[in-house]
Amino acid sequence: MTIFDGIILGVVQGFTEFLPISSSGHLVLVQDLLGIKQPGNDFEITLHIGTLCSILVVFYNDIKDIILTVSSKETKKYILLILIGTLPAVVIGLGLKDFFEQLFDNLIIVGFSLIFTGLVLMSSFYFKRENKEHSIVTSFLIGLAQAFAIIPGISRSGMTISCALLLGMSPKQAAKFSFLLAIPVISGAGLLMATDMETGFNMGLSTSLMGLLTSFCIGIISLKWLLGWLEDGKFHYFGVYCFFIGIFTVVA
């Protein structure tokens, strides 16, 4: 993999991580188009670390408020909800790590997963916009949706936000919880990759750094764009794109 390839994949990751169209699925498709043969998903995790930094920048004030008010009862409850929402991805991700890694080489699975993502996103148009109280049950269900998104082609943000909207959360609440929920999961995946000495950085340090930097910069732009579309009620538009790109992938 060249530095140019790393930049291209960083751009793809930055745009697709926050837009609910599955970054993992698009990375698989673009790598196939470019003829890149990269075993496992270590480089994808590197790119995810870049977009993780984008979350820290865009949600800086929310994160700062959590840190400054960590002793309050309300903040402690919110942190507990994030931890509960994180558990499914940790348990399922670690328990089925080898199985999920094999899926990244299967374009048919990616195609059908994109179709599924598209159907879920389009159906979100009919979810009633409410402002229900967040609970342990809703956190766990959203966490299950996040764990399901480990499959390439299933959008993490698409699944978690759609699930939150279905459970009665407001678009603003859904987006905030979805992306704060991503912080421990992506951080954990990054640490897991760093301890994997057998495959760590087998794509080259310079390529990894350029991919990480590119995904970070583009990620900030796409995240702000998504938040605007979500508030305007245009979230389901992304489902049309996922549905047809999924069909194209399966057929082609």
Side-chain angles (χ1 to χ4, degrees), residues 21-92:
I21 56 179
S22 177
S23 61
S24 58
H26 279 76
L27 286 174
V28 170
L29 295 177
V30 172
Q31 288 184 73
D32 184 71
L33 290 173
L34 295 177
I36 299 174
K37 302 297 181 182
Q38 184 63 42
N41 62 343
D42 287 354
F43 187 65
E44 182 192 355
I45 294 175
T46 300
L47 299 181
H48 271 76
I49 294 174
T51 46
L52 167 63
C53 294
S54 301
I55 298 175
L56 299 179
V57 170
V58 175
F59 286 93
Y60 171 76
N61 289 329
D62 294 287
I63 296 172
K64 183 179 70 173
D65 289 341
I66 290 175
I67 294 175
L68 294 179
T69 61
V70 70
S71 59
S72 71
K73 183 178 179 180
E74 183 178 350
T75 299
K76 288 180 179 178
K77 178 183 177 182
Y78 196 78
I79 293 175
L80 175 62
L81 295 179
I82 291 177
L83 293 176
I84 291 173
T86 302
L87 285 177
V90 173
V91 174
I92 295 175

Side-chain angles (χ1 to χ4, degrees), residues 13 16-25 44 48 51 55 59 85-86 89 117 120-121 142-164 174-186 223 226 235:
Q13 167 68 18
T16 60
E17 168 65 15
F18 302 119
L19 304 185
I21 56 179
S22 177
S23 61
S24 58
E44 182 192 355
H48 271 76
T51 46
I55 298 175
F59 286 93
T86 302
T117 296
V120 172
L121 294 178
I142 295 171
L144 285 177
Q146 176 170 253
F148 187 54
I150 298 175
I151 299 173
I154 303 294
S155 168
R156 194 206 67 82
S157 62
M159 291 299 105
T160 53
I161 292 176
S162 294
C163 183
K176 177 182 175 181
F177 188 74
S178 170
F179 293 116
L180 291 182
L181 193 62
I183 294 176
V185 171
I186 298 176
L223 179 51
L226 173 65
F235 187 66

Side-chain angles (χ1 to χ4, degrees), residues 87-104:
L87 285 177
V90 173
V91 174
I92 295 175
L94 290 178
L96 300 174
K97 180 176 180 290
D98 294 336
F99 169 74
F100 286 122
E101 285 185 350
Q102 294 175 3
L103 300 182
F104 282 81

